[in-house]
């Protein structure tokens, strides 16, 4: 009962890990991603194909997967051991394109559903010679002892990549890996990569050295045994099959594989021996899960770092745009060029100042006379301010977007994410229209601010004398020329002309009120600009979010691996 509870605890912990591995995503193209994605897929395959099925069915037949290099004679060996043609041998490569699982008829129920290899559909009957990708063919045979199943896998070095991937997946589903090689190819690099993986994971391995010239057995066998010891497989049994002609049915003479056949029958008939093999592989597989999950944790951390770097690049670009807008609002930039020309046209050089010093009535007469023209000078000044502010906002919006795109193109994962950001590097008519609306709305708020501050009867009369629009324009000028307590004349902006607007506003509202109103106008424009930029930045961050792994993915994987360590077999 205690052992049963231990297994149940391991099953529960493995199921939690499996759920996290399945949900894990590595969407950003960072260094090492292809390797990590392959490792994730293989880990998930082994969890589904072997670890969970075996933990849930410890008494299921032992599954020996027959694997090896191209032309090693795997299918011929399987047919010979079974005593009938169940797998397709031949001179054409690759031959085994769909795996063949041979079992005793009494063991059919263990394999006909998706208990193991759930991703492969089951087919039965004789091999028709047609490729059936994505399937495993079940072949029942009375000559194979109950309690043992043989699975003939595709070549591990097949020229077809799908066959290589499937072969690797099937080897991960094995209780026992029956590796078939030849005297000519036993030292090839590809099989030894897989043998080292088997050693690292504690997988039970047996070696079939096929097509060995009788005179070379005493030389090759010790050399192979030494290689196995060096790679951490000192106890792997070696079965030699001498080079010999096949019989009329294309099978090996029984004497050449008798020792292998006897060993397999002993495993099938001896529950304790079978449990030893299954236990070795299962403990090794479960024991390897935490380290393999750790690799996925590291890959997930790399994804998090890449996402944070990309997000920071966008944030920095738009923060820089914010600073440039703030500077442009207070360094006098907006009071030069067209705005200065319209201002001088509006007030007249020197004349306006003299009228401010005299009487409001005389200024009102001048303003009335000026308004008889078409268009009024105030409209030109207002339009010039509108155009200047819009240009400042739009230029920095474009700059922030371009800087973000340029940086993302250089960063890991950035180009793929950038492909989902609409109209990168170009401004649409909608963007221009949005900026135009923003400036109009801000100017409307400035006029409302003037109306609000001019509610007193005396102040209201003074505002009315000039007109709300004119006073609003004066406030905009002062807002763009006033910073850190300095006014236009003090910082030499626009030839000191903004000091005239300052004098008019101070006469109406008072010194402190003018400073407060100017600060409020600047602050509100910057807030509206920030809202605009935030919407633009969101197009980048939303695209990034769609490509990025969940923020807590690494932590969840790490916690699942830790939970498994606490209940190891």
């Amino acid at each position: 009962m205690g052992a049963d509870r231990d297994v149940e605890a391991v099953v529960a912990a493995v199921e939690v890990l499996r759920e996290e591995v399945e949900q894990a995503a590595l969407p950003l193209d960072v260094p090492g991603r292809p390797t990590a994605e392959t490792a994730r897929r293989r880990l998930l395959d082994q969890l589904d194909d072997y670890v969970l099925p075996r933990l849930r069915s410890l008494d299921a037949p032992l599954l020996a997967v027959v694997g090896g290099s191209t032309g090693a004679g795997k299918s011929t060996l399987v047919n010979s051991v079974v005593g009938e043609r169940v797998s397709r041998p031949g001179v054409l490569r690759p031959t085994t394109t769909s795996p063949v699982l041979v079992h005793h008829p009494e063991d059919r129920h263990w394999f006909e559903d998706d208990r193991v290899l759930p991703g492969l559909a089951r087919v039965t009957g004789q091999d028709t010679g047609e490729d059936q990708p994505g399937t495993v063919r079940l072949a029942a045979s009375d000559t194979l002892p109950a309690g043992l199943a043989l699975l003939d896998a595709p070549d591990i070095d097949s020229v077809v990549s799908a066959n290589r991937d499937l072969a690797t997946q099937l080897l991960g589903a094995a209780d026992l890996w029956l590796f078939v090689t030849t005297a000519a190819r036993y030292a090839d690099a590809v099989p030894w990569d897989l043998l080292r993986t088997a050693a690292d994971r504690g997988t039970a391995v047996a070696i079939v050295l096929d097509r060995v010239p009788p005179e070379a057995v005493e030389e090759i066998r010790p050399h192979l045994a030494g290689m196995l010891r060096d790679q951490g497989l000192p106890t792997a049994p070696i079965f030699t099959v001498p080079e010999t002609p096949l019989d009329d049915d294309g099978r090996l003479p029984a004497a050449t594989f008798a020792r292998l056949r006897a060993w397999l029958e002993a495993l099938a008939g001896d529950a304790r021996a079978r449990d030893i093999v299954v236990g070795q592989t299962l403990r090794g597989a479960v024991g390897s899960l935490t380290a393999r999950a750790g690799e996925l944790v590291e890959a997930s951390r790399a994804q998090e770092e890449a996402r944070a770097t990309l997000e920071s690049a966008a944030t920095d670009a738009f923060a820089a745009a914010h600073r440039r807008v703030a500077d442009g609002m207070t360094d006098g930039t907006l009071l030069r060029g067209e705005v200065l020309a319209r201002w001088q046209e509006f007030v007249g050089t020197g004349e306006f100042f003299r009228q401010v010093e005299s009487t409001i009535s005389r200024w009102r007469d001048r303003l009335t006379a000026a308004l008889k023209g078409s268009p009024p000078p105030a409209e030109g000044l207002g339009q010039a301010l509108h155009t200047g502010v819009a240009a400042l906002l739009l230029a920095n919006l474009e700059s922030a977007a371009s800087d973000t795109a340029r940086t993302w193109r250089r960063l890991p994962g950035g180009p793929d994410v950038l492909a989902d950001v609409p109209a990168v590097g170009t401004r649409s008519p909608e963007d221009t229209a949005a900026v135009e609306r923003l400036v109009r709305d801000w100017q409307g708020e400035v006029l409302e601010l003037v109306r609000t501050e001019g509610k007193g009867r005396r102040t209201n009369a003074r505002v009315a004398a000039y007109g709300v629009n004119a006073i609003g324009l004066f406030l905009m000028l002062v807002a763009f020329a006033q910073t850190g307590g300095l006014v236009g004349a003090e910082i030499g902006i626009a030839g000191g002309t903004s000091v005239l607007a300052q004098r008019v506003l101070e006469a109406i509202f008072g010194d402190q009120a003018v400073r407060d109103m100017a600060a409020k106008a600047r602050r509100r424009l910057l807030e509206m600009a920030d809202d605009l930029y935030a919407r633009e930045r969101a197009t980048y961050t939303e695209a990034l979010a769609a490509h990025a792994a969940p923020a807590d993915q690494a932590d969840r994987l790490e916690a699942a691996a830790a939970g498994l360590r606490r209940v190891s077999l």
Side-chain angles (χ1 to χ4, degrees):
M1 290 295 293
D4 290 342
R5 285 195 296 270
D6 290 343
V7 172
E8 289 175 1
V10 173
V11 170
V14 172
E15 287 175 340
V16 171
L17 178 61
R18 187 232 175 263
E19 184 70 17
E20 296 300 336
V21 172
E22 182 183 40
Q23 292 180 2
L26 304 173
L28 294 177
D29 188 12
V30 302
R33 175 200 177 197
T35 300
E37 183 56 48
T38 297
R40 187 197 76 86
R41 187 180 67 252
R42 289 179 177 172
L43 175 56
L44 189 61
D45 285 341
Q46 191 173 37
L47 288 168
D48 288 343
D49 296 342
Y50 179 70
V51 176
L52 284 170
R54 177 51 75 186
L55 283 170
R56 292 164 178 161
S57 306
L58 292 173
D59 55 345
L62 185 148
L63 179 60
V65 175
V66 183
S69 303
T70 300
K74 301 183 299 298
S75 298
T76 298
L77 181 65
V78 170
N79 292 337
S80 301
V81 169
V82 175
E84 59 180 301
R85 188 181 187 276
V86 291
S87 188
R88 186 199 327 163
V91 295
L92 297 178
R93 306 294 178 217
T95 49
T96 302
T97 55
S98 297
V100 180
L101 195 156
V102 190
H103 59 84
H104 190 276
E106 293 178 2
D107 292 334
R108 180 188 301 275
H109 65 284
W110 290 110
F111 303 107
E112 61 185 357
D113 60 14
D114 61 356
R115 184 187 66 87
V116 295
L117 302 171
L120 298 177
R122 271 53 173 169
V123 297
T124 57
Q126 292 296 318
D127 184 1
T128 63
E130 297 180 1
D131 290 340
Q132 295 178 293
T135 67
V136 56
R137 187 165 62 84
L138 303 182
S141 175
D142 291 324
T143 62
L144 195 68
L148 171 70
L150 297 178
L151 197 158
D152 186 12
D155 302 329
I156 60 174
D157 57 354
S158 171
V159 295
V160 180
S161 61
N163 286 349
R164 295 196 303 272
D165 292 342
L166 180 57
T168 302
Q169 177 184 350
L170 297 178
L171 292 171
D175 291 307
L176 169 67
W177 182 12
L178 198 60
F179 176 64
V180 183
T181 188
T182 65
R185 302 193 60 185
Y186 71 91
D188 287 357
V190 172
W192 283 100
D193 287 341
L194 290 173
L195 286 168
R196 278 190 290 272
T197 299
D200 292 342
R201 297 179 186 174
T203 304
V205 175
I207 308 296
V208 178
L209 188 58
D210 197 12
R211 298 175 183 169
V212 185
E215 68 276 8
V217 171
E218 296 305 320
E219 177 184 356
I220 294 176
R221 183 186 174 93
H223 185 236
L224 176 57
M227 294 179 70
L228 289 168
R229 285 194 301 272
D230 293 343
Q231 299 301 327
L233 295 167
T235 62
I238 301 174
F239 301 94
T240 57
V241 177
E243 181 74 50
T244 184
L246 303 179
D247 63 19
D248 293 341
D249 294 322
R251 297 195 289 269
L252 295 164
T256 62
F257 60 88
R259 182 167 165 263
L260 172 62
R261 170 84 188 194
W263 183 72
L264 292 173
E265 289 178 345
L267 281 179
D270 186 339
R272 184 174 181 276
R274 186 170 66 249
D275 289 346
I276 289 173
V277 171
V278 170
Q280 173 188 334
T281 300
L282 182 57
R283 282 192 297 273
V286 172
S288 74
L289 295 179
T290 53
R292 296 165 71 186
E295 296 174 2
L296 191 53
V297 169
E298 292 181 5
S300 298
R301 299 284 186 214
Q303 292 280 317
E304 290 179 5
E305 291 174 5
R307 174 179 181 166
T309 301
L310 291 168
E311 193 166 20
S312 178
T315 299
D316 290 348
F318 282 90
H322 166 96
R323 291 191 297 272
R324 289 192 297 268
V325 170
D327 291 342
M329 288 165 51
T330 55
D331 63 5
T333 299
L334 290 172
L335 300 184
R336 297 185 175 94
E338 183 70 14
V339 172
L340 175 58
R342 296 307 175 194
W343 167 250
Q344 291 175 336
E345 177 182 297
F346 180 58
V347 302
T349 304
E351 182 181 356
F352 178 74
F353 183 75
R354 289 193 299 271
Q355 289 177 343
V356 169
E357 291 294 323
S358 56
T359 64
I360 290 177
S361 61
R362 289 177 58 192
W363 167 246
R364 186 165 57 244
D365 292 341
R366 169 178 167 78
L367 183 62
T368 301
L371 292 177
K372 293 179 179 178
S374 180
E379 284 192 11
L381 177 60
Q383 184 58 45
L385 279 169
H386 177 104
T387 300
V389 173
L392 176 68
L393 298 181
L394 191 59
N396 284 287
L397 179 66
E398 293 174 348
S399 178
S402 297
D403 289 348
T404 300
R406 183 168 53 252
T407 304
W408 278 20
R409 289 189 181 99
R410 300 195 304 265
L411 291 173
D416 288 344
V417 180
L418 204 56
D420 284 351
V421 178
V424 173
T426 62
R427 293 271 61 84
S428 67
E430 289 78 10
D431 295 324
T432 303
V435 171
E436 295 287 345
R437 285 194 302 273
L438 183 154
V439 177
R440 285 196 299 271
D441 291 345
W442 175 74
Q443 289 179 321
E445 291 191 18
V446 171
L447 296 181
E448 184 60 30
L449 178 61
V450 169
R451 294 187 187 96
T452 301
E453 292 293 328
K455 283 183 178 179
R457 180 177 299 176
R458 183 179 176 187
T459 303
N460 191 50
R462 292 177 177 178
V463 170
Y466 292 93
V468 171
N469 288 347
I471 296 300
L473 290 176
F474 295 165
L475 181 56
M476 294 176 204
L477 289 170
V478 172
F480 295 145
Q482 188 180 50
T483 179
L486 302 179
V487 297
E490 293 171 306
I491 55 178
I493 293 177
T497 51
S498 61
V499 73
L500 304 180
Q502 179 89 9
R503 293 286 297 277
V504 171
L505 293 179
E506 289 176 353
I508 297 173
F509 300 106
D511 295 357
Q512 186 59 47
V514 171
R515 285 192 291 270
D516 292 344
M517 292 167 67
K520 186 179 294 184
R522 286 195 305 272
R523 185 167 58 249
R524 181 57 185 144
L525 178 57
L526 198 55
E527 288 172 354
M528 296 171 76
D530 284 344
D531 289 343
L532 174 70
Y533 290 1
R535 290 193 296 273
E536 178 69 14
R537 185 177 67 247
T539 63
Y540 292 87
T541 56
E542 288 170 3
L544 179 58
H547 281 75
D552 60 345
Q553 175 174 297
D555 292 338
R556 293 203 316 266
L557 282 165
E558 202 165 42
L564 180 58
R565 277 195 296 270
R566 290 192 291 269
V567 295
S568 59
L569 289 171

